Amino acid sequence: MIPKQETTTHRHKMEGKLRTPYLIADMHCDTLAKVMKSGKELWERNEEHHLDLPRMKEAGVCCQFFAVCVQEAYRYEGGFQRTSHIFQTFQKKISSEKDIVVVKDSIELKKNIKKRRISAILSVEGGEALEGKIENLLNLYEIGVRSLTLTWNWRNALGDGVGVTDEPKGLTAFGKDVIKCMNDIGMVVDVSHIAVPGFWECLELSTKPVIASHSSCYALAPHPRNLRDSQIKAIADIGGVIGINFYPPFLRSDADKTGAILLDVLDHIDHVVEVGGIDCVAIGSDFDGIDSVPLGLEDVTGLQRLIDGLMSRGYKGIDLEKILNRNVIRVLSLLI
Ligand SMILES: [Zn+2]
């Protein structure tokens, strides 16, 4: 079956220049691990990855969460060291870059946006990195980490991820302590990947808004990684934000046959707006963490085509900016 025709996708060709004045915040990419593995540098244009500094600038990215996922080899041991090492290496490498800065508080974030520099938010994907110790959460905070995805798909010391299908449980006592501590010190609690029981306990416990950095809508594609309408509504009700994930199987249930296109991402954005309102939707591309992408969003420069698409759906002015960056900036301003 041929995918739906995308009308605006290839209309404009990026020519190394920012076409629109719109800035974009993206709540999830896995580029750091890829950069580490390939030996390429973030400032080198590298078409094998979904994003790099030159293309982020072309696309108008103003804020990018850089996640480090705890890989299987470090699941039970060494997660803290491995994660810290990747972040410290990254920070050292970009310390002389003037176009990108690791941001640790909202004052820096706002200053950076004014200066049109990219704000990098360091984010850990999977509480395995804590190795069961609150002390490691504080250590990660110390080196600049400001966001933690409580679980990946597995069970960990904080709770169960969506991959636990045999009666998933909620948060552990440690998981609850982690959330309380994150609320206290100023870190973003990320509920992407967590199983349903832990999700609800987290929302009840957190005294601050939470994010789902890279999750799409279950109502449109019933995948365990996606959020039910009740979850979308609950995140919206506490002032949180959901970043729509670009992974085709999260966008369409028939993606294995048809793939996905940019219009599918727009459908998910529309759905979150319908269910939770304009203040709770954002972008969480999952670039460099996904092995397929929607047609029209092949890399970070495709985000400019996404803006065209949003405009064609009638989003404009502040509402358009909320989706593209304001919602993320608002929630970061409250949390870090
Ligand atoms: Zn993920």
Side-chain angles (χ1 to χ4, degrees):
M1 198 164 122
I2 298 163
K4 284 182 271 181
Q5 283 303 305
E6 167 54 60
T7 51
T8 56
T9 300
H10 295 294
R11 205 175 61 213
H12 301 288
K13 276 257 175 258
M14 292 298 302
E15 286 169 358
K17 274 187 220 130
L18 183 60
R19 276 194 303 103
T20 78
Y22 292 105
L23 298 176
I24 296 160
D26 175 6
M27 295 204 291
H28 195 90
C29 78
D30 287 297
T31 307
L32 293 193
K34 275 215 155 177
V35 166
M36 210 56 187
K37 206 172 164 195
S38 68
K40 300 273 184 185
E41 302 295 352
L42 193 69
W43 54 84
E44 288 178 76
R45 183 178 281 270
N46 175 17
E47 309 283 341
E48 282 165 31
H49 296 174
H50 293 143
L51 63 87
D52 49 49
L53 200 47
R55 284 181 293 162
M56 286 167 84
K57 282 160 63 182
E58 281 175 20
V61 173
C62 67
C63 178
Q64 178 71 56
F65 283 51
F66 285 95
V68 171
C69 187
V70 180
Q71 291 159 319
E72 182 134 35
Y74 303 97
R75 186 175 162 189
Y76 300 108
E77 214 186 341
F80 171 74
Q81 189 135 22
R82 175 73 183 161
T83 310
S84 309
H85 173 67
I86 295 177
F87 286 131
Q88 283 168 324
T89 307
F90 173 60
Q91 293 194 78
K92 216 179 279 174
K93 284 187 170 185
I94 64 161
S95 59
S96 56
E97 281 291 324
K98 59 176 185 346
D99 294 326
I100 183 167
V101 179
V102 172
V103 155
K104 295 172 188 166
D105 63 58
S106 49
I107 299 165
E108 271 180 294
L109 174 69
K110 283 174 187 160
K111 267 193 209 160
N112 249 3
I113 289 167
K114 264 194 193 140
K115 291 182 182 167
R116 308 281 279 191
R117 289 197 295 205
I118 298 169
S119 296
I121 307 290
L122 303 186
S123 153
V124 169
E125 183 168 21
E128 287 82 356
L130 307 184
E131 298 185 20
K133 295 178 194 153
I134 286 285
E135 183 190 321
N136 282 339
L137 180 70
L138 300 174
N139 289 334
L140 288 168
Y141 181 88
E142 203 54 45
I143 63 167
V145 174
R146 290 294 177 269
S147 179
L148 170 72
T149 314
L150 301 172
T151 69
W152 192 68
N153 292 339
W154 306 306
R155 170 170 295 162
N156 70 20
L158 285 67
D160 286 358
V162 294
V164 178
T165 48
D166 184 18
E167 290 184 40
K169 295 184 180 64
L171 297 167
T172 62
F174 178 63
K176 290 177 184 170
D177 287 346
V178 167
I179 291 169
K180 283 183 207 152
C181 183
M182 290 174 75
N183 283 167
D184 286 346
I185 61 178
M187 279 180 82
V188 182
V189 175
D190 183 355
V191 294
S192 281
H193 284 282
I194 200 165
V196 171
F199 172 91
W200 289 111
E201 288 182 12
C202 175
L203 262 76
E204 199 166 306
L205 184 66
S206 180
T207 56
K208 307 262 176 75
V210 303
I211 64 163
S213 65
H214 58 306
S215 294
S216 300
C217 307
Y218 194 90
L220 303 187
H223 189 287
R225 270 284 282 109
N226 284 345
L227 298 167
R228 274 82 172 166
D229 285 355
S230 55
Q231 294 177 298
I232 294 170
K233 179 99 178 56
I235 292 172
D237 284 348
I238 60 165
V241 179
I242 298 154
I244 297 299
N245 191 312
F246 295 173
Y247 190 41
F250 299 167
L251 297 172
R252 296 175 67 110
S253 48
D254 57 355
D256 55 334
K257 297 187 199 87
T258 64
I261 57 174
L262 189 146
L263 288 181
D264 295 313
V265 175
L266 297 176
D267 288 346
H268 282 255
I269 291 174
D270 280 345
H271 186 77
V272 173
V273 173
E274 261 166 48
V275 174
I278 192 74
D279 292 327
C280 75
V281 67
I283 293 158
S285 68
D286 213 351
F287 275 145
D288 286 322
I290 53 181
D291 53 18
S292 60
V293 284
L295 187 67
L297 284 167
E298 288 81 1
D299 72 355
V300 67
T301 60
L303 292 173
Q304 287 290 314
R305 290 189 284 272
L306 188 72
I307 297 173
D308 291 342
L310 287 166
M311 286 173 168
S312 71
R313 295 256 170 134
Y315 295 104
K316 56 182 193 260
I318 298 282
D319 282 355
L320 180 60
E321 286 184 31
K322 282 182 175 179
I323 300 168
L324 297 176
N325 64 67
R326 278 180 185 249
N327 290 339
V328 175
I329 293 165
R330 182 199 77 233
V331 89
L332 282 173
S333 301
L334 286 170
L335 297 175
I336 66 168

